[in-house]
Amino acid sequence: FYPPHEYELLRVFTQVGKYEFLSVGKRVIAQGWKELYGKVKDKELPFLQEKDRVSIKNILMEKRFTKPPSHFTEAELLKLMEKLNLGTPATRAGIIETLKEREYIRVSGKVLISTQKGRELIAKLKDSKVINAEFTSEWEKRLDAIYKQRQGFKGYKEFLEGIKEWTKEEIDRVKGMSFELKEEVIAKCPQCGSDIVEKAKGYFCKGCSFVLWKNFFGKSISRKQAQKLLSGKSVLFKGLKSQKGNTFDAYGRLEENGKIKLEFGGQKDGSFKGKGQEDRRKTSGKAFEKKKDNRAYKQRGRPAKAKRQKG
């Protein structure tokens, strides 16, 4: 076997006038098994020692913007809750569902996004321990200790009394708070022209009874998809589930009656309600009769078999 590939990771700080620049790279000590692959292009830094003087070949200025952290998927949030010791394996998924039902978070594609309602609540509770992950995790650890250390009913009672006292103090503090929730308008109603706002189960018009339900053939209509539909554009829905459990893809377009009409391969096929309830489609009687007539014709046109007669 070839020996291991050995290298050093280097971070070099270069002082140019009053500015300090960082160079990151590595220096190979021994090629080892990488000799089998010939020359491998790695970002290697030259041999340098502290207080060495270097020459400047070129100076470039680049304009870059910081990117916000990516949103969590449900699976990633469950892993983070486990890492922070929030909830138990049996309750974590239920906690996320509760946040959805109370409209603190919403699903956008595969990720979870906080709603204005959720952000407003966190802003009001910024001085409270209830939004502190470490504080909530401490409760879980204390409950676990009651069981593992066999503290019995006495340990449970002391823990419960502490929670009651803390809860009373929090309620008294929250009573004086006022919450102002501004609904975010995502589009205009195709029927009356009023504002459409997003809620937990659908997109509701503030001026009439129009609703575009999120649940659609086993999929949730995202905000971007809803905005396209409400503006009269077609939307490609992937992974829809039929009543028989089969998955299919189709384009959808919102009609004047508020229903989504699906299009398969460019051919319109039936009209569907936005809440995922399929309208009853009438099978074409002519096509059925034609198929039946063809079958009957084949049966009539088939030559009869000769029968043997016993003498």
Side-chain angles (χ1 to χ4, degrees), residues 216-235:
F216 185 66
F217 282 92
K219 286 287 184 177
S220 179
I221 297 176
S222 68
R223 180 183 291 193
K224 287 185 179 179
Q225 289 174 331
Q227 287 172 331
K228 284 186 177 180
L229 289 169
L230 292 166
S231 64
K233 297 178 181 178
S234 293
V235 174

Side-chain angles (χ1 to χ4, degrees), residues 42-55:
D42 286 323
K43 190 177 180 181
E44 291 190 27
L45 292 177
F47 181 79
L48 295 169
Q49 291 183 339
E50 192 174 355
K51 295 183 180 181
D52 278 354
R53 297 183 67 85
V54 295
S55 59

Side-chain angles (χ1 to χ4, degrees), residues 13 15 64 76 79 127 131 143 145 150 165 174 240 252:
F13 294 91
Q15 191 78 29
R64 297 185 182 182
E76 289 170 342
K79 286 183 179 179
D127 296 326
I131 64 171
L143 282 171
R150 301 181 181 274
E165 185 178 347
V174 172
L240 300 178

